[in-house]
Amino acid sequence: MARSVRLVPPLPAPALLACALVLTACGGGVHGTPGGSGVRDPYFPKAGNGGYDVAHYGLRLAYDPEAHHLTGTATLTARATQDLSAFNLDLLGMEVEQVTVGQEIARWNRAGQELTVRPHDDIDRDETFSVTVRYSGAPETVTDPDGSREGWLRTTDGVLALGEPTGSMAWFPGNHHPSDKAAYDLAVTVPKGLRAVSNGQLRGETTARGRTTFVWHSGEPMASYLATLAIGRFEISRSRAGELPVYTAVDPAEAAASRPVLRRIPEVLRWAERRFGPYPFSSTGAIVDRAPDVGYALETQSRPVFPGAPDMTLLVHELAHQWYGDSVTPESWRDMWLNEGFATYAEWLWEEDHGGDSARETFDALYSGAYFDTEEAGEEIWEFPPADPPSAARISDPPVYWRGAMVLQKVREAVGDARFFGILRGWAATYRHGNADTADFTAYVEKRAPGEDLAGVWDAWLYGEGKPERP
């Protein structure tokens, strides 16, 4: 989906042939094969790469907002899943200066978002290896197929980096598909007076020669689209939700409007733990920036991002994603309803548990068309089944959210409340810090509800075209 940018001049055909011959001969006898240049995601086939799994990202970044210039060194620690003669990383734009594998300088070439690395020696299957990429340049803003913007988004006083679905490749090289999750350590240097806020826990903050370096650590596995970086002027608040550290960073212009909602983070987490099970990460909080052009909030892991002051419904939605989407992450972008349907249903449960409409009443209003202000909006949720969006441009359309939540309500009615809430907690526990797809979910529900006939729910509500008949 991303535009390809080539920052090195094309080589003439003889030079390309010579490079190919050198690469083939490098390292003695070749016993491996190149890793795939994508994982064949149904909507973003070039996203991610085959042949290895990343365990850890170590990112050292320095950004100058005035010059709009990023300098980076990314070190990935990975395990080969096959014998590798070469492998790919996703990186959009930027200028690559050097690549090393282990201690050896590696050959590399660029083609669009693909950075192909040829190590000095082949890598054996199950071997753990490291690759370090030095790069710099002006990171890009990415326009998604649905017209939304992600990647490196400049703000009035800095930048906001957002990655769903593929924007993270605009600011660091990696295996940018949700099926490959890893731990992260991020050190970011910015001009003194600005702050750099990311996921996880702040491990260090030092100032020297007019620049400040912030060090962030995320120990639990994280998909790259959930990594974030906000650079700018922020009001910082530190508190606790029980034993859990809460770190919020708020643009001063949004502070007054945000304060009443953000102070309820501990309350929302206590409620969510009762409904969904133990919170899956070692820290929590929020980033509230002044970014009206972004137009969406994002469930960036452990610290959701809001482009302005959130309301309670939005806070509940993004915190529920910490269980459903961040800890239990979709296997592919086709499974987005497992993120958005669950987080939308969490909104319904919050209302039900706090004196508002029951989830059943919300379902009924959606089915009748009374939920939305216009008939057109009410019809949009029936345009396609939530488990099968028709294109990359529609993976975040209303059926994925609203009809996805309706699937969960139909499951609840089919199995009863006691079993249903056990399923919500068990699903989050069984796939904690892992990946799952829709087939995993339907199989899990059927296992937890033996004897219940759920085929009608799956056929009509999850996979069926159009508005299902109401029994």
Side-chain angles (χ1 to χ4, degrees):
M1 61 166 282
R3 291 178 289 118
S4 298
V5 177
R6 185 183 180 92
L7 296 178
V8 294
L11 293 171
L16 285 173
L17 178 59
C19 285
L21 292 173
V22 169
L23 288 175
T24 302
C26 180
V30 174
H31 65 272
T33 57
S37 61
V39 295
R40 299 184 180 179
D41 185 273
Y43 303 116
F44 301 96
K46 298 297 286 184
N49 300 285
Y52 65 94
D53 288 321
V54 182
H56 180 264
Y57 287 87
L59 305 178
R60 298 197 308 276
L61 309 176
Y63 183 62
D64 181 348
E66 289 191 7
H68 182 44
H69 185 81
L70 177 70
T71 302
T73 300
T75 299
L76 287 64
T77 303
R79 180 184 63 84
T81 58
Q82 66 179 63
D83 292 338
L84 285 172
S85 61
F87 59 90
N88 282 29
L89 302 172
D90 300 313
L91 179 64
L92 181 65
M94 308 299 286
E95 181 177 353
V96 175
E97 297 164 3
Q98 186 182 76
V99 180
T100 59
V101 177
Q103 303 300 315
E104 300 280 353
I105 293 177
R107 295 179 174 87
W108 53 271
N109 64 280
R110 303 289 299 276
Q113 71 184 47
E114 300 296 329
L115 169 60
T116 301
V117 178
R118 176 66 165 92
H120 182 272
D121 297 302
D122 286 2
I123 299 169
D124 294 331
R125 180 176 181 174
D126 292 326
E127 180 181 345
T128 297
F129 66 96
S130 65
V131 53
T132 298
V133 181
R134 288 174 45 201
Y135 60 102
S136 62
E140 293 191 17
T141 296
V142 178
T143 300
D144 290 336
D146 66 1
S148 61
R149 298 164 69 243
E150 55 173 298
W152 199 259
L153 305 168
R154 300 179 74 179
T155 61
T156 56
D157 58 0
V159 70
L160 182 60
L162 299 174
E164 187 179 52
T166 62
S168 49
M169 70 176 71
W171 57 286
F172 66 96
N175 202 17
H176 291 293
H177 189 266
S179 60
D180 191 1
K181 302 167 72 170
Y184 282 71
D185 283 286
L186 180 68
V188 188
T189 302
V190 295
K192 182 181 177 181
L194 300 183
R195 302 195 70 88
V197 184
S198 188
N199 314 83
Q201 296 175 291
L202 181 62
R203 289 288 181 84
E205 178 181 337
T206 57
T207 299
R209 297 186 294 277
R211 298 176 69 78
T212 304
T213 299
F214 297 85
V215 179
W216 292 90
H217 172 72
S218 296
E220 298 90 1
M222 178 166 67
S224 62
Y225 81 91
L226 297 169
T228 191
L229 176 60
I231 297 172
R233 301 185 186 278
F234 295 103
E235 292 187 8
I236 303 301
S237 174
R238 294 176 175 87
S239 59
R240 301 193 81 81
E243 296 300 314
L244 191 68
V246 181
Y247 184 104
T248 62
V250 183
D251 185 286
E254 303 293 334
S258 299
R259 198 170 293 118
V261 174
L262 296 184
R263 68 163 57 110
R264 298 183 70 180
I265 288 175
E267 175 190 353
V268 174
L269 291 178
R270 286 194 299 271
W271 168 82
E273 287 196 314
R274 291 194 298 272
R275 284 304 194 191
F276 311 139
Y279 180 74
F281 304 114
S282 56
S283 65
T284 189
I287 299 170
V288 182
D289 211 336
R290 182 175 47 170
D293 293 341
V294 172
Y296 60 89
L298 188 62
E299 61 270 21
T300 45
Q301 190 160 302
S302 75
R303 190 156 291 109
V305 168
F306 303 93
D311 60 19
M312 277 303 296
T313 299
L314 192 55
L315 180 68
V316 168
H317 183 102
E318 302 305 335
L319 289 179
H321 270 310
Q322 304 306 306
W323 283 262
Y324 308 113
D326 293 11
S327 176
V328 184
T329 303
E331 186 67 29
S332 83
W333 290 111
R334 175 172 284 153
D335 305 302
M336 270 283 280
W337 84 274
L338 291 172
N339 290 15
E340 302 303 347
F342 275 71
T344 301
Y345 196 75
E347 298 175 29
W348 301 5
L349 291 178
W350 174 267
E351 289 297 316
E352 181 177 291
D353 290 346
H354 292 82
D357 288 345
S358 68
R360 177 66 191 205
E361 288 170 327
T362 302
F363 178 99
D364 288 343
L366 282 164
Y367 190 86
S368 70
Y371 187 89
F372 295 105
D373 293 334
T374 67
E375 181 179 350
E376 180 182 8
E379 290 300 318
E380 285 181 351
I381 67 174
W382 310 114
E383 290 183 350
F384 60 84
D388 193 19
S391 68
R394 308 201 68 184
I395 62 172
S396 294
D397 273 13
V400 174
Y401 288 70
W402 303 106
R403 191 168 164 185
M406 295 176 88
V407 170
L408 296 178
Q409 178 62 22
K410 295 303 293 183
V411 172
R412 181 179 178 180
E413 293 172 4
V415 305
D417 276 13
R419 190 173 281 172
F420 175 74
F421 288 110
I423 287 170
L424 286 188
R425 290 188 293 271
W427 174 251
T430 299
Y431 290 93
R432 180 181 174 94
H433 298 155
N435 294 86
D437 61 18
T438 299
D440 292 322
F441 176 73
T442 56
Y444 181 81
V445 172
E446 291 171 358
K447 181 179 179 180
R448 292 292 299 267
E452 299 289 349
D453 184 4
L454 292 158
V457 175
W458 311 142
D459 292 345
W461 293 91
L462 186 57
Y463 289 108
E465 298 286 346
K467 187 175 182 178
E469 293 289 333
R470 182 78 178 269

